[in-house]
Amino acid sequence: MKQNWYKYLAVLMLSYVMVWGFLGHIPRQPVLHETARNLYFHVPMWFSMFVMLTISVINSIKYLRNPLTVIDDKAESYAYTGILFGVVGCATGSIWARYTWGTWWTNDVKLNGAAIGLLIYFAYAILRGSFEDEQQKARISAIYNIFAIALLIPLLIILPRMTDSLHPGNGGNPGFKPMDTEGAMRIVFYPAVIGWISLGYWITNLRLRIRKIERQANEA
């Protein structure tokens, strides 16, 4: 049970979020109305993405210092899980935009930054598939991974705060303070962040186990 703590945590937290997130009370806000419940899904996706990509780049730095295959596998797997959360984050954000802004996508600096950021990481996946030599692939991918997250941070965090943006808390727009600090939403939002991050850790561990089995099969 100690080895599977993150599985129980993910199931417990996300079950709670699914039930209370759809049925629990939320404050009534103009324009947002019931779509505010997407706060429990859309925003935690980006939290989870950043956590996964941060762990990935930490392992990339470790690999450059100590080139072990198992470290490169971790960097790759966490990066792919981060990309998955980024794609789902864009999808849930697009749905939210449709019902609040009236369009699936708009020329918003944060939306465009998210799209560019995902393209950068799609290129990471393509880069890894373009090398046959394992050590060369791991080394170049590790270097690319460091530059990728260095570009992602200004695209999603810095630039939206410096220019006009429809997103709350960016470009002079007020944040969700009147809403997301209300206890009724905090007690769902924080477990949602923990739950989605735990699920990301679970997904990554499954991928690492598959990679280990594949390597053992190739060596046999």
Side-chain angles (χ1 to χ4, degrees), residues 101 108 160-161 163-176:
W101 300 340
D108 181 83
R161 295 182 180 276
T163 60
D164 290 334
S165 174
L166 292 172
H167 273 78
N170 296 290
N173 283 332
F176 281 108

Side-chain angles (χ1 to χ4, degrees), residues 5-80:
W5 63 269
Y6 56 91
K7 299 179 182 179
Y8 298 113
L9 183 63
V11 171
L12 178 63
M13 293 290 101
L14 293 182
S15 296
Y16 168 76
V17 170
M18 291 298 176
V19 174
W20 201 246
F22 285 111
L23 300 179
H25 165 75
I26 62 170
R28 294 294 180 262
Q29 295 290 324
V31 181
L32 293 176
H33 304 295
E34 289 293 324
T35 67
R37 296 182 188 277
N38 201 13
L39 183 74
Y40 307 139
F41 305 96
H42 172 62
V43 179
M45 292 299 165
W46 295 109
F47 276 81
S48 303
M49 182 194 75
F50 270 110
V51 170
M52 297 300 116
L53 295 181
T54 300
I55 297 174
S56 172
V57 77
I58 288 172
N59 279 284
S60 290
I61 295 171
K62 286 182 178 179
Y63 179 83
L64 293 174
R65 298 178 62 184
N66 186 21
L68 297 176
T69 300
V70 64
I71 300 177
D72 177 57
D73 286 344
K74 288 182 179 180
E76 177 192 28
S77 297
Y78 276 106
Y80 287 168

Side-chain angles (χ1 to χ4, degrees), residues 3-7 52 55 73-74 77-78 81 197-213:
Q3 295 180 343
N4 298 321
W5 63 269
Y6 56 91
K7 299 179 182 179
M52 297 300 116
I55 297 174
D73 286 344
K74 288 182 179 180
S77 297
Y78 276 106
T81 304
I197 292 174
S198 300
L199 180 62
Y201 184 72
W202 189 353
I203 292 171
T204 306
N205 271 274
L206 287 174
R207 180 176 177 81
L208 287 170
R209 289 170 62 184
I210 293 172
R211 291 286 290 171
K212 183 178 180 180
I213 294 171

Side-chain angles (χ1 to χ4, degrees), residues 91-129:
T92 53
S94 183
I95 294 171
W96 203 354
R98 173 65 181 83
Y99 289 97
T100 54
W101 300 340
T103 182
W104 296 100
W105 197 274
T106 185
N107 190 27
D108 181 83
V109 63
K110 200 161 191 175
L111 269 66
N112 293 335
I116 295 171
L118 284 177
L119 288 175
I120 291 171
Y121 276 94
F122 289 159
Y124 169 84
I126 295 171
L127 178 68
R128 291 194 65 92

